[in-house]
């Protein structure tokens, strides 16, 4: 079963969500419960277990950390200073793999950016940055693909370990 799933993963004949579900079943069958925690987080999303941004940031795998792209009210891209990108540009992608597979981009609307805009208005480096208003933050399709590739790589590592264990027995 593990070898078949490995082939399906490489050939991309099934969704990552379905492959994760099968991996979970395989882990249960052979008694590898530690791996089920990671599988559950990828299947259900990381908000199930981690409730705060700090918890998420601390516990998310590196492949789930990316950067935002910011846009004004008219859809024009906004380039923030390196200082502001260092503070606000890091994104944590906590969504389930099923959500990620079905989305072209992740969008954070302006109502969730009020605190961010208030901070920029108060602490901007110059008059231009102080008057800046971010209307939308996005994680684009290529970044989502990068995250999915990270999940795929981790699945393959898990399957390789399972196959090795089964071959030893």
């Amino acid at each position: 079963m593990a070898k078949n799933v490995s082939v399906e993963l490489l050939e991309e004949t099934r969704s990552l969500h379905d492959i994760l579900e099968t991996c979970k079943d395989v882990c249960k069958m052979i008694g590898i419960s530690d791996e089920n925690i990671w599988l559950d987080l990828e299947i259900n999303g990381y908000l199930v277990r981690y409730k705060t941004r700090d918890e998420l940031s601390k516990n998310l795998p590196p492949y789930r950390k990316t950067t935002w792209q910011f846009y004004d009210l008219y859809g024009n891209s906004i380039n923030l200073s390196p200082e502001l990108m260092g503070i606000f540009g890091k994104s944590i992608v906590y969504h389930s793999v099923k959500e990620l597979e079905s989305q072209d981009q992740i969008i954070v609307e302006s109502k969730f950016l009020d605190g961010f805009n208030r901070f920029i208005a108060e602490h901007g480096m110059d008059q231009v940055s102080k008057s800046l208003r971010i209307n939308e933050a996005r994680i684009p399709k290529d970044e989502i693909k990068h995250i999915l590739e990270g999940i795929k790589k981790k699945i393959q590592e898990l399957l390789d370990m399972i196959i090795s264990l089964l071959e030893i027995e």
Side-chain angles (χ1 to χ4, degrees):
M1 185 189 250
K3 286 181 181 178
N4 289 341
V5 173
S6 183
V7 170
E8 291 172 335
L9 181 66
L10 290 172
E11 293 179 351
E12 299 181 354
T13 56
R14 289 176 56 206
S15 71
L16 288 179
H17 177 267
D18 291 345
I19 288 174
L20 285 165
E21 289 284 358
T22 303
C23 288
K24 187 175 173 178
D25 293 340
V26 170
C27 286
K28 283 181 184 176
M29 288 172 23
I30 63 173
I32 305 175
S33 59
D34 289 349
E35 299 302 328
N36 281 337
I37 295 168
W38 173 77
L39 292 167
D40 285 337
L41 290 170
E42 291 297 343
I43 291 168
N44 300 312
Y46 283 76
L47 283 180
V48 172
R49 185 171 184 151
Y50 306 111
K51 302 300 182 198
T52 68
R53 183 171 176 82
D54 287 342
E55 284 180 313
L56 282 167
S57 184
K58 182 179 166 187
N59 292 291
L60 277 177
Y63 59 82
R64 278 185 166 267
K65 296 177 182 178
T66 186
T67 55
W68 293 107
Q69 290 182 351
F70 298 103
Y71 297 87
D72 66 13
L73 182 62
Y74 305 104
N76 299 314
S77 180
I78 297 174
N79 294 318
L80 296 180
S81 69
E83 294 83 14
L84 288 175
M85 280 304 285
I87 297 170
F88 295 108
K90 305 283 186 245
S91 168
I92 49 178
V93 182
Y94 52 80
H95 306 72
S96 71
V97 73
K98 194 172 207 170
E99 288 177 88
L100 294 174
E101 287 181 301
S102 66
Q103 295 182 9
D104 281 342
Q105 60 185 338
I106 297 170
I107 299 175
V108 175
E109 298 170 358
S110 62
K111 64 183 176 181
F112 299 110
L113 298 168
D114 287 341
F116 179 72
N117 284 317
R118 215 174 6 264
F119 181 87
I120 290 175
E122 293 172 15
H123 304 287
M125 303 298 170
D126 54 31
Q127 196 55 39
V128 173
S129 65
K130 286 183 178 190
S131 63
L132 186 67
R133 174 110 176 113
I134 294 176
N135 188 61
E136 196 174 77
R138 299 178 197 161
I139 297 173
K141 185 175 187 146
D142 61 327
E143 289 294 323
I144 293 173
K145 281 184 179 180
H146 179 74
I147 294 164
L148 292 172
E149 284 299 316
I151 296 168
K152 187 176 174 180
K153 181 179 178 193
K154 182 100 172 170
I155 292 170
Q156 189 60 60
E157 290 170 2
L158 172 63
L159 288 168
D160 291 344
M161 188 255 311
I162 290 170
I163 291 166
S164 293
L165 280 174
L166 293 172
E167 287 175 348
I168 291 171
E169 292 179 5

